[in-house]
Amino acid sequence: MSASVVEEASRRRTFAIISHPDAGKTTLTEKFLLYAGALGEAGAVKARSGRRSATSDWMELEQKRGISISSTALSFDYRGHQLNLLDTPGHRDFSEDTYRVLSAVDAVVMVLDSAKGIEPQTLKLFEVCRSRNLPVITFLNKYDRPGREPLELLDEIEEQIGLRPTPATWPVGISGDFRGVLDRRTGQFTRFTRTTRGSSIAPEEIVDAERASVEEGKAWTHAQEEAGLLDAIGADVDLESFLAGESTPVFVGSALTNFGVRSVLDAIVDLAPAPEQRETIDGGRRPLEGECSAFVFKVQANMDRSHRDRIAFVRICSGRFERGMVLTCDRTGKPFATKYASTVFGAERTTVEEAYPGDVVGLVNATGLNIGDSLYETEPVTFPPIPRFSPEVFASARPLDTGKSKQFRKGLAQLDEEGVVQVLRDPDMGDSAPVLAAVGQLQFDVFANRLDVEFNAPIEVLSAPYDSIRLTDDRSAKRLREIGGIRIMQRGDGRLVALFESRYRLQRIENDEPDLVLDHIIAG
Ligand code: G4P
């Protein structure tokens, strides 16, 4: 049996697509399904106005904003491999959710709009991939439209993210008159033919260099010249530095017309890593073929309003998962029966009977499981915690209906546990005047909406005057309280934090009283 776990793991590629909203993530996802022959599900990908599908309408805010807040996992077969695509919430704001999803993938596909390049709001997301050394495959999308010079885009990737771009393909024809790509490995031309809005696979013709030169003339010569330039600077796809998260293979294409989509899928299979032994907290590694183990990277409550349930999404790290097996949570030591294991796609669920390393399973009725928890069969394991991001924005929450304080408290606890926002409580006042802390403003909107819709406890979110947060301890907190103008609060995990209204004031205190504990919350 152990050999088959390793075999199954080696067939898997677990990845996410990250992009700025509108760069084409959803379109590319649909096209991946088209090329994998699994388009039956593609209609469910979109959660946008106009193309909304009934399967993902479980969240009102999601509808109102036209954004996909939920993370789901999508699996499909391609060339004998199982590709697990984890959705990252796509919106203009940072959210911790996205970062958590990145802890559960082995590689990412970064989609850039070739007319826009790297957009400031998403830079942070790319930087996180870089800092975690996640292998990144880059897709320069929308090349069917007039856009920027691809060489310029390569410079931008290198300068802004510090990833060395290594183009695998190079466009033939300028953006807006995109004819196909030069494959830098073979020197051949892949000619694409448009189909109506890319509703079916784009016919591809492989043409040798000589014929390409005759048939494409200047466009081919130009592509060859630029490819020559790339050769000269040694910008060739390099597996080792790609896997180390230092270089990124670049593909040029158009998700809309399907140009270049196949190459990206092939790269996921051929270049992206299969699940490997996962590092444990003590610095060891959990062998793939051992007993089943997993970790929770996302918790979502009330996905199905009629059931009011709680689903923990786990990534299998080792062994074979079998529905019905009992797993133990390392944090609580409590057993968890996995009778209801499913894949969740929008509001639709399919029962999962078995899963292997790299797969994502949604555990239904997961009361008691929190983000970051490790699960194991009998041989204990603790995987390193998922890094939390240092909050950057703060707000206070005021219940609008004082008669709903029980619901309010319940919602606070639940949404804090889910990591929707961090709830900070005044140690003397408990739940009555919490401060909410988040990475991005949108988290507050989601929080308020869910408190209202799911817990029937409407609140008003007011901005709070803090701009910095530090971890502290009892002794330092006592002193900080004396100084005044500093708020000491407690996180859900019991740790004390100090909130400062001005970072200059914080700096002064750090300088004047260096023995106070004022630790940064580690990010990334
Ligand atoms: P996102 O998930 O990253 O937010 O982007 P999405 O795929 O929804 O694409 C955003 C818009 O860009 C869509 O147009 C989509 O059709 C278009 N698009 C995606 N890929 C390409 C491409 O390769 N070339 C061109 N020209 N356009 C592309 P929309 O008008 O917002 O929606 P729709 O009316 O097409 O549905």
Side-chain angles (χ1 to χ4, degrees), residues 175-483:
S175 50
D177 178 25
F178 185 29
R179 304 181 194 179
V181 291
L182 185 161
D183 183 328
R184 287 192 60 224
R185 208 163 31 99
T186 62
Q188 288 173 325
F189 172 49
T190 305
R191 178 185 287 135
F192 300 123
T193 306
R194 256 187 120 108
T195 59
T196 318
R197 269 190 76 85
S199 55
S200 53
I201 289 173
E204 287 167 29
E205 187 190 359
I206 309 287
V207 177
D208 64 39
E210 217 169 299
R211 210 178 105 208
S213 164
V214 175
E215 293 172 358
E216 302 297 332
K218 252 195 182 150
W220 177 253
T221 323
H222 186 68
Q224 272 198 321
E225 276 166 14
E226 287 192 326
L229 219 98
L230 296 170
D231 293 344
I233 58 166
D236 301 336
V237 174
D238 171 46
L239 194 61
E240 200 180 321
S241 58
F242 160 66
L243 293 176
E246 291 161 7
S247 73
T248 176
V250 178
F251 296 84
V252 184
S254 154
L256 186 71
T257 59
N258 302 342
F259 292 7
V261 170
R262 190 193 302 280
S263 319
V264 181
L265 269 180
D266 285 338
I268 294 165
V269 167
D270 297 331
L271 304 177
E276 284 166 7
Q277 301 181 356
R278 196 163 188 98
E279 205 177 316
T280 55
I281 199 155
D282 51 16
R285 290 197 173 263
R286 178 82 169 191
L288 283 177
E289 66 274 28
E291 277 188 357
C292 182
S293 67
F295 78 94
V296 181
F297 67 94
K298 183 176 171 60
V299 169
Q300 185 91 55
N302 307 335
M303 283 181 80
D304 182 345
R305 213 79 63 63
S306 57
H307 290 92
R308 293 196 73 81
D309 58 3
R310 175 177 162 98
I311 300 186
F313 291 91
V314 302
R315 173 184 156 125
I316 307 296
C317 300
S318 68
R320 177 173 178 269
F321 169 85
E322 230 182 293
R323 187 171 71 87
M325 75 184 352
V326 175
L327 295 173
T328 300
C329 169
D330 72 313
R331 183 178 49 85
T332 60
K334 286 194 180 143
F336 180 84
T338 62
K339 188 170 166 206
Y340 301 103
S342 36
T343 54
V344 180
F345 194 68
E348 247 161 49
R349 292 177 192 175
T350 320
T351 303
V352 168
E353 294 299 340
E354 61 167 16
Y356 290 94
D359 288 347
V360 169
V361 176
L363 299 175
V364 185
N365 291 340
T367 327
L369 292 186
N370 288 352
I371 289 168
D373 283 351
S374 304
L375 300 170
Y376 56 87
E377 257 181 281
T378 56
E379 202 182 307
V381 66
T382 306
F383 296 109
I386 298 176
R388 288 218 75 165
F389 279 76
S390 187
E392 290 176 20
V393 283
F394 304 88
S396 59
R398 193 177 69 84
L400 289 175
D401 184 345
T402 43
K404 296 278 167 55
S405 66
K406 204 173 138 205
Q407 289 90 328
F408 175 69
R409 280 209 306 278
K410 198 169 161 212
L412 274 188
Q414 167 82 56
L415 299 176
D416 187 22
E417 241 175 65
E418 268 188 51
V420 175
V421 297
Q422 289 187 37
V423 177
L424 309 176
R425 296 173 178 83
D426 190 315
D428 300 327
M429 294 166 77
D431 281 337
S432 60
V435 169
L436 314 176
V439 180
Q441 205 72 35
L442 180 74
Q443 289 177 246
F444 297 144
D445 297 351
V446 173
F447 180 79
N449 180 270
R450 292 191 54 186
L451 262 184
D452 185 8
V453 174
E454 295 167 22
F455 297 90
N456 195 19
I459 58 161
E460 186 178 18
V461 174
L462 303 161
S463 76
Y466 310 110
D467 80 346
S468 303
I469 183 168
R470 291 288 185 274
L471 280 170
T472 189
D473 62 5
D474 283 325
R475 182 188 59 83
S476 304
K478 199 164 161 236
R479 168 72 191 125
L480 291 166
R481 280 199 185 95
E482 287 165 9
I483 298 173

Side-chain angles (χ1 to χ4, degrees), residues 118-133:
I118 295 170
E119 297 169 76
Q121 289 127 313
T122 17
L123 180 60
K124 189 160 171 181
L125 194 53
F126 301 149
E127 282 171 350
V128 171
C129 296
R130 180 76 185 88
S131 70
R132 297 219 186 132
N133 298 326

